[in-house]
Amino acid sequence: MRTEQEAEHAIELYADMIRRICLLHLKNHEDTEDVLQEVLLKYILRSDVFASAEHEKAWFIRVTLNSCKDLLKSLFRKRTVPLELLAEESASVLPENLEVIEAVLALPERYKLVIYLHYYEGYTAKEIGKLLNKKENTIYSLLSRGREQLKLELGGDSIEE
C-alpha cells in the first residue's frame, strides 16, 4: 500500500492525463471521474515498485485504458452524451484549441488513441506499440491515416509533428 505522499504525488502527476484518456474513450465527465478514482485506488493499493517513471506512466495509461474498456462493456452503461456537451466539458479539462479537440474526438477509435498518445503525451510509435500490443509499423500507419483525417477535418492545414 502506498503512502499518502506517494498518492498525492501520483495525483499531481497523472490525474490530468487520466482524465484526458477517459474523456477520449468515455465522452462523459461523470464516468471519467469514476474511472479516475478507480485507477488511483488501484495505484494506492498496489505495493509493487516501478522500475522507472516511464514504467509508472505506462502503467497508469494501461490501467486507465483497461478500466475505460471495462466500463464501456458493463451492462449498466446505457447513457450517451452529445458531442456538444463533451466539448464544453473538454474545454475545462483540455485548454488547447477546442476545434482541434473536437476533430480528434471525432476520429474513429483506432486513430483517436494513437494520435492522443503521440501528440499529447509524447510517446513514440514504438512505445505506443508496446502499450497497445501492436506492431510499430501499424502505429505509424494509424498515425498517418489519423493525421490525414484531421487535415481534412480542419480544412487542409498541415498538422505539426
mmCIF file of all heavy atoms in Angstrom, residues 20 23 29 83-99 101-102 105:
data_model
loop_
_atom_site.group_PDB
_atom_site.id
_atom_site.type_symbol
_atom_site.label_atom_id
_atom_site.label_comp_id
_atom_site.label_asym_id
_atom_site.label_seq_id
_atom_site.Cartn_x
_atom_site.Cartn_y
_atom_site.Cartn_z
ATOM 1 N N ARG A 20 -7.913 12.998 -19.472
ATOM 2 C CA ARG A 20 -7.943 13.180 -20.930
ATOM 3 C C ARG A 20 -8.177 11.848 -21.644
ATOM 4 O O ARG A 20 -8.970 11.756 -22.582
ATOM 5 C CB ARG A 20 -6.659 13.847 -21.413
ATOM 6 C CG ARG A 20 -6.554 15.310 -21.015
ATOM 7 C CD ARG A 20 -5.395 15.995 -21.694
ATOM 8 N NE ARG A 20 -4.102 15.412 -21.393
ATOM 9 C CZ ARG A 20 -3.248 15.887 -20.478
ATOM 10 N NH1 ARG A 20 -3.552 16.953 -19.776
ATOM 11 N NH2 ARG A 20 -2.092 15.302 -20.283
ATOM 12 N N LEU A 23 -11.804 10.852 -21.155
ATOM 13 C CA LEU A 23 -12.731 11.639 -21.975
ATOM 14 C C LEU A 23 -12.691 11.197 -23.432
ATOM 15 O O LEU A 23 -13.722 11.200 -24.111
ATOM 16 C CB LEU A 23 -12.422 13.129 -21.871
ATOM 17 C CG LEU A 23 -13.009 13.836 -20.654
ATOM 18 C CD1 LEU A 23 -12.484 15.261 -20.555
ATOM 19 C CD2 LEU A 23 -14.521 13.830 -20.691
ATOM 20 N N HIS A 29 -18.117 13.193 -18.482
ATOM 21 C CA HIS A 29 -17.337 13.689 -17.347
ATOM 22 C C HIS A 29 -17.532 12.838 -16.088
ATOM 23 O O HIS A 29 -16.566 12.555 -15.365
ATOM 24 C CB HIS A 29 -17.704 15.151 -17.058
ATOM 25 C CG HIS A 29 -16.924 15.748 -15.947
ATOM 26 N ND1 HIS A 29 -15.578 16.026 -16.056
ATOM 27 C CD2 HIS A 29 -17.275 16.096 -14.692
ATOM 28 C CE1 HIS A 29 -15.141 16.538 -14.924
ATOM 29 N NE2 HIS A 29 -16.156 16.595 -14.075
ATOM 30 N N LEU A 83 -21.983 15.177 -28.333
ATOM 31 C CA LEU A 83 -20.638 15.707 -28.524
ATOM 32 C C LEU A 83 -20.538 17.161 -28.065
ATOM 33 O O LEU A 83 -19.512 17.578 -27.552
ATOM 34 C CB LEU A 83 -20.212 15.587 -29.988
ATOM 35 C CG LEU A 83 -18.786 16.001 -30.317
ATOM 36 C CD1 LEU A 83 -17.782 15.181 -29.510
ATOM 37 C CD2 LEU A 83 -18.515 15.837 -31.781
ATOM 38 N N GLU A 84 -21.609 17.932 -28.210
ATOM 39 C CA GLU A 84 -21.582 19.339 -27.791
ATOM 40 C C GLU A 84 -21.321 19.448 -26.292
ATOM 41 O O GLU A 84 -20.559 20.301 -25.843
ATOM 42 C CB GLU A 84 -22.908 20.042 -28.131
ATOM 43 C CG GLU A 84 -23.204 20.147 -29.602
ATOM 44 C CD GLU A 84 -23.729 18.842 -30.197
ATOM 45 O OE1 GLU A 84 -24.332 18.035 -29.468
ATOM 46 O OE2 GLU A 84 -23.511 18.615 -31.397
ATOM 47 N N LEU A 85 -21.961 18.582 -25.506
ATOM 48 C CA LEU A 85 -21.747 18.596 -24.066
ATOM 49 C C LEU A 85 -20.313 18.190 -23.745
ATOM 50 O O LEU A 85 -19.678 18.784 -22.875
ATOM 51 C CB LEU A 85 -22.739 17.661 -23.369
ATOM 52 C CG LEU A 85 -22.629 17.553 -21.852
ATOM 53 C CD1 LEU A 85 -22.824 18.926 -21.209
ATOM 54 C CD2 LEU A 85 -23.657 16.583 -21.318
ATOM 55 N N LEU A 86 -19.799 17.208 -24.466
ATOM 56 C CA LEU A 86 -18.424 16.780 -24.255
ATOM 57 C C LEU A 86 -17.447 17.911 -24.562
ATOM 58 O O LEU A 86 -16.485 18.119 -23.850
ATOM 59 C CB LEU A 86 -18.096 15.571 -25.131
ATOM 60 C CG LEU A 86 -16.654 15.087 -25.081
ATOM 61 C CD1 LEU A 86 -16.288 14.618 -23.684
ATOM 62 C CD2 LEU A 86 -16.432 13.994 -26.075
ATOM 63 N N ALA A 87 -17.714 18.651 -25.616
ATOM 64 C CA ALA A 87 -16.835 19.758 -25.981
ATOM 65 C C ALA A 87 -16.792 20.794 -24.870
ATOM 66 O O ALA A 87 -15.732 21.342 -24.564
ATOM 67 C CB ALA A 87 -17.290 20.383 -27.290
ATOM 68 N N GLU A 88 -17.935 21.067 -24.243
ATOM 69 C CA GLU A 88 -17.960 22.014 -23.126
ATOM 70 C C GLU A 88 -17.147 21.483 -21.957
ATOM 71 O O GLU A 88 -16.378 22.210 -21.334
ATOM 72 C CB GLU A 88 -19.394 22.269 -22.678
ATOM 73 C CG GLU A 88 -20.232 23.013 -23.676
ATOM 74 C CD GLU A 88 -21.699 23.058 -23.281
ATOM 75 O OE1 GLU A 88 -22.028 22.688 -22.137
ATOM 76 O OE2 GLU A 88 -22.492 23.454 -24.133
ATOM 77 N N GLU A 89 -17.301 20.192 -21.642
ATOM 78 C CA GLU A 89 -16.558 19.593 -20.545
ATOM 79 C C GLU A 89 -15.076 19.523 -20.879
ATOM 80 O O GLU A 89 -14.226 19.764 -20.031
ATOM 81 C CB GLU A 89 -17.087 18.185 -20.249
ATOM 82 C CG GLU A 89 -18.482 18.185 -19.687
ATOM 83 C CD GLU A 89 -19.049 16.787 -19.538
ATOM 84 O OE1 GLU A 89 -18.394 15.819 -19.958
ATOM 85 O OE2 GLU A 89 -20.160 16.666 -18.998
ATOM 86 N N SER A 90 -14.758 19.208 -22.127
ATOM 87 C CA SER A 90 -13.363 19.084 -22.546
ATOM 88 C C SER A 90 -12.635 20.406 -22.441
ATOM 89 O O SER A 90 -11.456 20.446 -22.132
ATOM 90 C CB SER A 90 -13.279 18.594 -23.992
ATOM 91 O OG SER A 90 -13.844 17.332 -24.100
ATOM 92 N N ALA A 91 -13.335 21.495 -22.683
ATOM 93 C CA ALA A 91 -12.699 22.811 -22.642
ATOM 94 C C ALA A 91 -12.143 23.101 -21.255
ATOM 95 O O ALA A 91 -11.103 23.743 -21.125
ATOM 96 C CB ALA A 91 -13.694 23.889 -23.056
ATOM 97 N N SER A 92 -12.810 22.609 -20.202
ATOM 98 C CA SER A 92 -12.311 22.871 -18.855
ATOM 99 C C SER A 92 -11.145 21.956 -18.497
ATOM 100 O O SER A 92 -10.292 22.313 -17.718
ATOM 101 C CB SER A 92 -13.433 22.714 -17.835
ATOM 102 O OG SER A 92 -13.878 21.377 -17.811
ATOM 103 N N VAL A 93 -11.106 20.765 -19.069
ATOM 104 C CA VAL A 93 -10.029 19.819 -18.769
ATOM 105 C C VAL A 93 -8.880 19.970 -19.753
ATOM 106 O O VAL A 93 -7.720 19.874 -19.399
ATOM 107 C CB VAL A 93 -10.563 18.364 -18.807
ATOM 108 C CG1 VAL A 93 -9.463 17.376 -18.575
ATOM 109 C CG2 VAL A 93 -11.660 18.196 -17.770
ATOM 110 N N LEU A 94 -9.202 20.241 -21.006
ATOM 111 C CA LEU A 94 -8.215 20.356 -22.061
ATOM 112 C C LEU A 94 -8.195 21.792 -22.586
ATOM 113 O O LEU A 94 -9.025 22.166 -23.400
ATOM 114 C CB LEU A 94 -8.551 19.403 -23.215
ATOM 115 C CG LEU A 94 -8.635 17.923 -22.872
ATOM 116 C CD1 LEU A 94 -9.264 17.159 -23.999
ATOM 117 C CD2 LEU A 94 -7.282 17.374 -22.551
ATOM 118 N N PRO A 95 -7.278 22.603 -22.139
ATOM 119 C CA PRO A 95 -7.305 24.009 -22.511
ATOM 120 C C PRO A 95 -6.865 24.300 -23.945
ATOM 121 O O PRO A 95 -6.950 25.425 -24.380
ATOM 122 C CB PRO A 95 -6.332 24.638 -21.510
ATOM 123 C CG PRO A 95 -5.418 23.544 -21.126
ATOM 124 C CD PRO A 95 -6.233 22.287 -21.201
ATOM 125 N N GLU A 96 -6.398 23.303 -24.694
ATOM 126 C CA GLU A 96 -5.940 23.540 -26.056
ATOM 127 C C GLU A 96 -7.092 23.964 -26.952
ATOM 128 O O GLU A 96 -8.232 24.029 -26.533
ATOM 129 C CB GLU A 96 -5.281 22.275 -26.635
ATOM 130 C CG GLU A 96 -4.058 21.805 -25.918
ATOM 131 C CD GLU A 96 -4.350 20.892 -24.752
ATOM 132 O OE1 GLU A 96 -5.500 20.566 -24.492
ATOM 133 O OE2 GLU A 96 -3.409 20.521 -24.078
ATOM 134 N N ASN A 97 -6.779 24.216 -28.201
ATOM 135 C CA ASN A 97 -7.740 24.656 -29.203
ATOM 136 C C ASN A 97 -8.930 23.698 -29.277
ATOM 137 O O ASN A 97 -8.782 22.523 -29.587
ATOM 138 C CB ASN A 97 -7.023 24.738 -30.550
ATOM 139 C CG ASN A 97 -7.880 25.294 -31.636
ATOM 140 O OD1 ASN A 97 -9.098 25.153 -31.624
ATOM 141 N ND2 ASN A 97 -7.245 25.942 -32.580
ATOM 142 N N LEU A 98 -10.121 24.209 -29.015
ATOM 143 C CA LEU A 98 -11.328 23.394 -28.961
ATOM 144 C C LEU A 98 -11.650 22.747 -30.304
ATOM 145 O O LEU A 98 -12.118 21.615 -30.358
ATOM 146 C CB LEU A 98 -12.500 24.248 -28.485
ATOM 147 C CG LEU A 98 -13.782 23.524 -28.141
ATOM 148 C CD1 LEU A 98 -13.526 22.465 -27.079
ATOM 149 C CD2 LEU A 98 -14.811 24.508 -27.641
ATOM 150 N N GLU A 99 -11.372 23.448 -31.398
ATOM 151 C CA GLU A 99 -11.646 22.892 -32.727
ATOM 152 C C GLU A 99 -10.801 21.641 -32.971
ATOM 153 O O GLU A 99 -11.289 20.636 -33.499
ATOM 154 C CB GLU A 99 -11.339 23.941 -33.804
ATOM 155 C CG GLU A 99 -11.624 23.478 -35.202
ATOM 156 C CD GLU A 99 -11.263 24.516 -36.257
ATOM 157 O OE1 GLU A 99 -10.694 25.562 -35.905
ATOM 158 O OE2 GLU A 99 -11.536 24.253 -37.433
ATOM 159 N N ILE A 101 -9.530 19.693 -30.615
ATOM 160 C CA ILE A 101 -10.014 18.661 -29.693
ATOM 161 C C ILE A 101 -11.241 17.962 -30.277
ATOM 162 O O ILE A 101 -11.335 16.733 -30.276
ATOM 163 C CB ILE A 101 -10.352 19.267 -28.322
ATOM 164 C CG1 ILE A 101 -9.081 19.764 -27.652
ATOM 165 C CG2 ILE A 101 -11.061 18.263 -27.428
ATOM 166 C CD1 ILE A 101 -9.328 20.647 -26.462
ATOM 167 N N GLU A 102 -12.172 18.767 -30.787
ATOM 168 C CA GLU A 102 -13.374 18.175 -31.372
ATOM 169 C C GLU A 102 -13.027 17.299 -32.576
ATOM 170 O O GLU A 102 -13.621 16.242 -32.770
ATOM 171 C CB GLU A 102 -14.360 19.266 -31.787
ATOM 172 C CG GLU A 102 -15.031 19.930 -30.602
ATOM 173 C CD GLU A 102 -15.940 21.073 -30.994
ATOM 174 O OE1 GLU A 102 -15.803 21.608 -32.123
ATOM 175 O OE2 GLU A 102 -16.790 21.435 -30.171
ATOM 176 N N LEU A 105 -11.593 14.067 -31.215
ATOM 177 C CA LEU A 105 -12.675 13.258 -30.642
ATOM 178 C C LEU A 105 -13.554 12.635 -31.718
ATOM 179 O O LEU A 105 -14.148 11.584 -31.503
ATOM 180 C CB LEU A 105 -13.530 14.106 -29.702
ATOM 181 C CG LEU A 105 -12.873 14.519 -28.398
ATOM 182 C CD1 LEU A 105 -13.758 15.500 -27.648
ATOM 183 C CD2 LEU A 105 -12.563 13.309 -27.543
#
